[in-house]
């Protein structure tokens, strides 16, 4: 059975049972609306990392011994600039205890001055003495505080647990993946809310400020900002509704495509909930894109039906004709979008895979809501005589514009357009090669620089010698390796080399601590701050370092070198990782392997590499899927080239724009290009689907393009401009990544539209030869 016969049969069955179709859609919508009400924001740490990456395999292998990378840093700062007062220490103790008993925190991994594992060791006349920095009988009077200050300096925690200028003190904690109270995975967003309520609100005062950073807190702040997305969604709906009303000048024809697009969003949310998915804060913008794509296809449908009503058809016949005309091109466009989004599944990062599922589900249901439900609903519309007269009225001014634009389908003007396009492509390609993989700015890139989270990050980075951006190089070796001088010396050499790499703020390892202890055994003489060659002395120097320090495991077969970085910018991480690989390869052997990586910066390094590796395959898969569907639809290589080339040029220019705006290619921005391809392909498919049959019938290219513009041009221009205006409002968002996406999508909506209007006919002018000549 041919495709046309299949479409005709489907159309006959569909419109014969219109009432049944509407009832089925109504019931499905009510059910999925109920399901959608239970959907939750869902953000888990492991969803944001490529678990199969070699770095993450190292991370998971040693997470039980050394903790994970999902940590929280809480810095309490005394407004007087000196923490050694009774009020501050009372607040610090209460905050420490509060965090220990917060659900989801690994209690063993909570570290502060009040931790029993925070100890000092000193050389005394009879040998060594030591104990907890804050003794059990601590009293916050002048003598007690002076003693704690002395112990703090002896313990070597200044710069880590205490600010360099003694103005702040740090509490750090590792988070569990599974909440022990509920037995379910930790609700990161709720945990961030608990930190605000039970830590910041409770203990911040005029004398003490509280600063909190870490993945969970960042996600919580993003989730808070994401609530504002609903406001922008409402603004976009309002703007789109006004523009649709202006376009079709009919309240009913405005309501129908908007309603069907909103139904698509409801179905998307309901299906996600039914399948057991939540929605990640980074994917919160996808429902708007589904709405935008739905409106784009809906406007094509109402435009086509309106023109047929104006030509004398009744509503039902016009809707049926529009359904037959648009089902295949609309279906191909939406299938291209769906398959394009599904290609994101090749990226083995949970949050991107969920975005792929979220977007592809949403676009797939548009086939049902806007290509099937919408024409059925339109078949019931009672078009007024006034509407018919207005729609049937000649439009000489508009036709004049379309005829002028059709000149781009002649070789004279097409050559100019293609030369300009080629120049833009070369410029864009050169710029796009400079795009950076990873974050390009300090702090959380999803948030504005002046956000509380980023201000907290800058304060902690400024006042401490450490930051949340640390990378662990795990040295895997033989059991009891800490008694082997050669192995310890290699680790020490590696640390020294890494400390001299630009971007490394400080470093610590078992050998560096053992050298300090060895000097202490020798009256504190700095000349003895070295690794003893004698096994007994080396044992003596390293035995006092406990596993709780995170510098060795139980049998001393794994010893991490902890590198504290200045920031997590892409260039910093790339430089440090490159140096670690180089020095690790030079110093390592069969017994001693320098394995990357653990820690938050290690996770970022793995993520950046995964994004880099996935970038090109993703684009190949996206374009491969679109090319295949265009070939199947048009059954013409020339038509496929005419659609794909403008689309590819826009993708390259969008990447160049990212370079210009200093937007790095990250987990949150990588899918934007694929999303842009999916949305942009619609314009070209609709225009070319109208041209191909006329071209096959021998109509000159310019005339075929002119007829296509009269049929589809208004809808293409309208949707491109309307959707661009809608997303351009995102520049006022509290989320930096939404601002970036708004700029990129505005650019892609407009330029893809221009590509379909200008570049596509220019290509057609050279790919099709007029048979009349």
């Amino acid at each position: 059975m041919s495709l046309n016969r299949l479409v005709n049969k489907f159309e006959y069955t569909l419109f014969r049972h219109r009432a049944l179709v509407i009832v089925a859609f109504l019931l499905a919508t009510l059910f999925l609306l109920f399901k959608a009400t239970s959907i939750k924001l869902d953000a888990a740490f492991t969803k944001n990392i490529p678990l199969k990456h070699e770095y993450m395999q190292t991370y998971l292998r040693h997470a039980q011994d050394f903790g994970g990378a999902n940590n929280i840093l809480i810095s309490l700062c005394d407004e007087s600039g000196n923490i050694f007062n009774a009020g501050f220490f009372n607040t610090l103790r209460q905050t420490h205890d509060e965090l220990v008993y917060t659900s989801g925190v690994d209690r063993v991994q909570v570290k502060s001055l009040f931790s029993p594992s925070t100890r000092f060791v000193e050389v005394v006349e009879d040998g060594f003495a030591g104990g907890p920095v804050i003794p059990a009988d601590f009293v916050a009077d002048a003598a007690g505080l002076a003693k704690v200050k002395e112990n703090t300096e002896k313990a070597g925690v200044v710069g880590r647990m205490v600010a360099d200028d003694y103005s702040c003190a740090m509490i750090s904690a590792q988070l569990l993946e599974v909440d022990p109270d509920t037995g379910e995975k930790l609700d990161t967003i709720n945990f961030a809310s608990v930190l605000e309520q039970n830590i910041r609100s409770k203990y911040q005062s005029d004398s003490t400020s509280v600063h909190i950073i870490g993945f969970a807190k960042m996600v919580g702040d993003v989730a808070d900002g994401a609530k504002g997305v609903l406001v922008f969604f409402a603004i976009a709906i309002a703007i789109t509704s006004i523009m649709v009303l202006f376009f079709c000048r009919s309240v009913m024809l405005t309501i129908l495509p908007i309603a069907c697009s909103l139904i698509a969003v409801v179905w998307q949310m309901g299906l996600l909930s039914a399948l057991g998915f939540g929605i990640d804060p980074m994917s919160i913008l996808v429902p708007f894109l589904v709405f935008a794509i739905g409106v784009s296809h809906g406007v094509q449908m109402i435009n086509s039906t309106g023109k047929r009503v104006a030509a004398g058809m009744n509503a039902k016949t016009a809707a049926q004709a529009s359904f037959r005309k648009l089902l295949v091109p609309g279906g191909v466009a939406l299938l291209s979008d769906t398959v394009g989004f599904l290609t994101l599944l090749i990226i083995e990062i949970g949050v991107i895979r969920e975005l792929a599922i979220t977007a592809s589900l949403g676009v797939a249901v548009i086939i049902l809501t806007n290509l099937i439900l919408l024409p059925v609903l339109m078949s019931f519309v009672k078009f007024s005589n006034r509407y018919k007269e207005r729609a049937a009225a000649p439009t000489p001014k508009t036709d004049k514009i379309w005829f002028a634009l059709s000149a781009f389908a002649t070789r004279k003007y097409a050559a100019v357009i293609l030369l300009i396009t080629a120049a833009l492509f070369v410029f864009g390609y050169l710029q796009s090669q400079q795009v950076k993989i990873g974050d390009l700015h300090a702090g959380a890139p999803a948030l504005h620089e002046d956000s509380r989270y980023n201000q907290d990050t800058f304060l902690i980075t400024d006042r401490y010698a450490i930051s949340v951006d640390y990378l662990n190089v795990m040295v895997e070796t033989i059991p009891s390796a800490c008694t082997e001088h050669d192995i310890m010396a290699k680790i020490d050499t590696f640390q020294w080399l890494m400390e001299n790499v630009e971007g490394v703020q400080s470093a610590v390892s078992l050998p560096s601590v053992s050298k300090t202890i060895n000097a202490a055994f020798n009256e504190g003489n700095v000349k003895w701050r070295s690794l003893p060659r004698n096994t007994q002395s080396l044992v003596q120097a390293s035995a006092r370092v406990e596993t709780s320090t995170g510098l060795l495991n139980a049998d001393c077969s794994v010893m991490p070198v902890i590198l504290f970085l200045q920031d997590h910018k892409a260039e910093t991480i790339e430089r440090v990782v490159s140096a670690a690989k180089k020095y690790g390869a030079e110093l390592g052997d069969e017994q001693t392997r320098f394995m990357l990586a653990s820690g938050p910066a290690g996770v970022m390094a793995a993520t950046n590499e995964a994004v880099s590796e996935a970038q090109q395959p993703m684009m190949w898969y996206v374009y491969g899927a679109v090319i295949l569907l265009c070939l199947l639809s048009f059954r013409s290589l020339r038509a496929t080239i005419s659609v794909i080339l403008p689309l590819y040029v826009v993708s390259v220019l969008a990447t160049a724009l990212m370079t210009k705006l200093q937007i790095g290619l990250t987990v949150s921005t990588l899918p934007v290009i694929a999303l842009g391809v999916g949305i942009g392909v619609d314009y070209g498919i609709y225009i070319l689907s109208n041209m191909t049959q006329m071209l096959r019938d021998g109509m000159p290219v310019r005339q075929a393009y002119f007829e296509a513009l009269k049929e589809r041009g208004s809808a293409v221009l309208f949707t491109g401009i309307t959707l661009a205006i809608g997303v351009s409002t995102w520049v006022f968002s509290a989320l930096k990544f939404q601002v970036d996406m708004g700029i990129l999508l505005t650019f892609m909506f407009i330029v893809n539209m221009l590509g379909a209007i200008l570049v596509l006919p220019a290509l057609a002018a050279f790919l099709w030869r007029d048979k009349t000549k």
Side-chain angles (χ1 to χ4, degrees):
M1 185 181 290
S2 69
L3 183 60
N4 286 337
R5 285 182 64 190
L6 192 64
V7 170
N8 290 339
K9 190 171 183 179
F10 182 43
E11 173 258 313
Y12 175 78
T13 305
L14 186 70
F15 283 86
R16 187 180 180 185
H17 303 94
R18 291 183 296 165
L20 186 61
V21 169
I22 292 173
V23 170
F25 270 92
L26 178 61
L27 292 175
T29 302
L30 290 174
F31 171 74
L32 291 172
L33 179 61
F34 171 73
K35 283 290 186 181
T37 57
S38 61
I39 199 166
K40 295 180 180 178
L41 282 175
D42 176 27
F45 179 72
T46 52
K47 288 201 314 184
N48 289 265
I49 62 179
L51 292 173
K52 293 185 179 180
H53 192 281
E54 60 176 313
Y55 299 172
M56 294 302 92
Q57 292 297 300
T58 302
Y59 160 78
L60 293 171
R61 193 161 59 244
H62 301 296
Q64 188 170 356
D65 288 328
F66 298 102
N70 189 9
N71 57 3
I72 286 291
L73 298 182
I74 301 175
S75 176
L76 274 64
C77 296
D78 192 89
E79 293 301 311
S80 69
N82 185 358
I83 65 172
F84 293 101
N85 61 76
F88 181 86
F89 267 76
N90 182 50
T91 302
L92 181 64
R93 178 183 56 77
Q94 291 176 344
T95 308
H96 172 97
D97 293 344
E98 187 82 52
L99 191 61
V100 166
Y101 292 104
T102 298
S103 182
V105 170
D106 186 348
R107 296 177 182 179
V108 177
Q109 296 287 346
V110 178
K111 309 288 185 184
S112 78
L113 291 178
F114 279 94
S115 303
S117 59
T118 306
R119 304 175 68 84
F120 73 95
V121 178
E122 64 177 330
V123 181
V124 295
E125 188 176 345
D126 297 330
F128 276 89
V133 168
I134 298 180
D137 59 352
F138 170 66
V139 177
D141 54 17
L145 291 167
K147 186 65 177 175
V148 168
K149 183 176 182 181
E150 184 182 338
N151 291 348
T152 299
E153 292 168 347
K154 292 175 185 175
V157 295
V158 175
R160 291 190 292 124
M161 288 187 182
V162 175
D164 293 325
D165 59 359
Y166 298 105
S167 62
C168 309
M170 180 80 75
I171 307 170
S172 64
Q174 297 280 344
L175 304 189
L176 300 168
E177 191 63 30
V178 176
D179 189 331
D181 290 348
T182 63
E184 298 178 356
K185 67 178 181 180
L186 181 66
D187 186 339
T188 306
I189 297 170
N190 181 64
F191 181 83
S193 178
V194 169
L195 287 178
E196 283 294 322
Q197 294 170 13
N198 294 357
I199 302 292
R200 198 193 301 267
S201 298
K202 200 170 182 179
Y203 297 108
Q204 183 154 294
S205 64
D206 292 338
S207 59
T208 307
S209 60
V210 179
H211 311 272
I212 310 171
I213 62 175
F215 173 81
K217 188 64 184 72
M218 184 271 290
V219 168
D221 285 8
V222 170
D224 288 341
K227 294 171 184 175
V229 171
L230 296 175
V231 175
F232 289 101
F233 198 179
I235 292 171
I237 292 172
I239 291 173
T240 305
S241 299
I242 292 169
M243 295 289 284
V244 173
L245 181 62
F246 176 78
F247 175 73
C248 63
R249 299 187 181 183
S250 167
V251 174
M252 183 56 67
L253 293 185
T254 299
I255 292 172
L256 289 179
I258 298 295
C260 288
S261 300
L262 289 174
I263 288 171
V265 173
V266 169
W267 280 35
Q268 177 195 32
M269 296 291 100
L271 287 170
L272 282 174
S273 180
L275 293 171
F277 289 99
I279 186 163
D280 190 275
M282 295 299 182
S283 304
I284 196 73
L285 304 177
V286 173
F288 171 78
L289 296 180
V290 170
F291 172 76
I293 295 170
V295 169
S296 175
H297 290 273
V299 167
Q300 291 288 347
M301 189 64 74
I302 63 170
N303 180 57
S304 176
T305 304
K307 287 182 181 296
R308 282 165 171 75
V309 167
M313 293 183 182
N314 61 42
K316 183 182 176 184
T317 306
Q320 287 176 281
S322 297
F323 174 82
R324 288 194 302 271
K325 186 77 172 176
L326 297 178
L327 181 63
V328 172
V332 169
L334 289 169
L335 279 174
S336 299
D337 299 348
T338 304
V339 175
F341 297 155
L342 284 174
T343 60
L344 293 171
L345 290 172
I346 67 166
I347 304 171
E348 294 181 345
I349 299 176
V351 66
I352 293 184
R353 288 187 160 185
E354 287 194 12
L355 184 145
I357 294 168
T358 302
S360 56
L361 265 180
V363 173
V365 298
I366 292 174
I367 297 174
L368 301 175
T369 59
N370 290 57
L371 295 186
I372 295 177
L373 176 62
L374 180 57
V376 170
L377 291 173
M378 290 194 67
S379 69
F380 288 99
V381 174
K382 302 297 183 184
F383 290 91
S384 65
N385 291 329
R386 184 181 176 187
Y387 174 85
K388 293 177 182 178
E389 289 171 4
R390 186 171 61 243
T395 55
K397 290 184 179 179
T398 305
D399 288 349
K400 195 173 181 180
I401 293 171
W402 296 144
F403 186 75
L405 281 174
S406 70
F408 293 116
T410 60
R411 294 193 172 189
K412 176 183 176 182
Y413 292 100
V416 176
I417 289 294
L418 293 180
L419 283 172
I420 294 172
T421 303
L424 286 173
F425 173 76
V426 171
F427 170 77
Y429 181 79
L430 294 174
Q431 286 291 313
S432 68
Q433 297 306 296
Q434 300 174 32
V435 71
K436 299 292 185 182
I437 310 295
D439 299 334
L440 303 187
H441 305 282
L447 301 166
H448 289 289
E449 187 174 315
D450 60 357
S451 67
R452 182 176 352 188
Y453 181 89
N454 280 335
Q455 289 303 308
D456 286 351
T457 299
F458 300 148
L459 179 141
I460 289 172
T461 303
D462 182 56
R463 298 199 186 185
Y464 294 85
I466 65 168
S467 72
V468 74
D469 301 321
Y470 65 86
L471 183 148
N472 293 350
V473 179
M474 313 301 288
V475 185
E476 298 178 350
T477 181
I478 59 175
S480 303
C482 46
T483 65
E484 300 284 341
H485 176 270
D486 289 346
I487 294 174
M488 293 284 278
K490 285 181 180 179
I491 298 172
D492 185 49
T493 301
F494 178 83
Q495 178 182 337
W496 181 82
L497 289 169
M498 292 306 301
E499 283 176 323
N500 287 280
V501 174
E502 184 184 353
V504 176
Q505 199 170 30
S506 61
V508 64
S509 68
L510 179 61
S512 65
V513 174
S514 297
K515 288 195 296 184
T516 303
I517 294 173
N518 187 53
F521 271 110
N522 293 276
E523 300 179 349
N525 192 324
V526 292
K527 292 182 179 180
W528 288 93
R529 190 170 288 181
S530 61
L531 291 171
R533 293 185 176 274
N534 179 279
T535 300
Q536 287 76 20
S537 298
L538 190 55
V539 170
Q540 179 179 253
S542 60
R544 291 184 174 274
V545 183
E546 300 176 2
T547 56
S548 61
T549 60
L551 297 178
L552 71 164
N553 65 349
D555 65 355
C556 206
S557 62
V558 181
M559 293 170 280
V561 178
I562 306 173
L563 307 173
F564 295 98
L565 310 186
Q566 290 176 348
D567 52 56
H568 59 254
K569 293 180 183 178
E571 57 185 357
T572 302
I573 291 178
E574 185 179 353
R575 187 187 308 115
V576 172
V577 166
S578 178
K581 286 181 176 178
K582 176 186 175 184
Y583 298 137
E586 291 173 357
L587 295 169
D589 53 33
E590 291 183 2
Q591 277 193 336
T592 310
R593 300 180 304 279
F594 293 83
M595 304 294 292
L596 289 163
S598 181
V603 170
M604 293 178 195
T607 304
N608 290 351
E609 289 188 13
V611 167
S612 179
E613 291 170 4
Q615 180 188 7
Q616 286 304 319
M618 181 197 74
M619 295 305 292
W620 284 114
Y621 283 123
V622 167
Y623 277 100
V626 174
I627 289 170
L628 181 61
L629 286 167
C630 285
L631 285 172
L632 289 173
S633 173
F634 295 118
R635 284 170 288 178
S636 165
L637 181 60
R638 292 179 294 182
T640 301
I641 291 171
S642 298
V643 171
I644 297 300
L645 278 184
L647 205 59
Y648 183 65
V649 171
V650 175
S651 294
V652 171
L653 290 175
T655 308
L657 182 64
M658 291 176 66
T659 304
K660 191 70 176 176
L661 297 177
Q662 293 190 320
I663 300 172
L665 205 59
T666 64
V667 169
S668 58
T669 57
L670 177 64
V672 174
I673 304 300
L675 295 172
V677 172
I679 296 168
V681 73
D682 300 352
Y683 303 119
I685 287 177
Y686 273 118
I687 287 178
L688 205 58
S689 66
N690 219 54
M691 289 178 63
T692 47
Q693 188 57 52
M694 290 183 283
L695 290 170
R696 288 185 182 126
D697 293 341
M699 185 179 288
V701 177
R702 179 173 186 176
Q703 184 64 29
Y705 183 52
F706 177 56
E707 296 298 330
L709 284 176
K710 287 200 294 182
E711 176 75 19
R712 306 272 169 83
S714 298
V716 168
L717 284 173
F718 165 79
T719 53
I721 294 169
T722 301
L723 300 180
I725 292 172
V727 296
S728 67
T729 61
W730 292 2
V731 297
F732 302 105
S733 172
L735 298 177
K736 179 65 166 61
F737 86 93
Q738 186 181 0
V739 173
D740 294 341
M741 283 190 73
I743 294 170
L744 289 172
L745 288 172
T746 299
F747 174 83
M748 295 184 93
F749 281 140
I750 292 293
V751 182
N752 271 318
M753 177 197 71
L754 292 175
I757 294 291
L758 302 177
V759 183
L760 186 151
L763 286 166
F766 284 93
L767 292 172
W768 275 274
R769 185 177 297 275
D770 289 346
K771 294 180 181 180
T772 55
K773 292 183 180 179

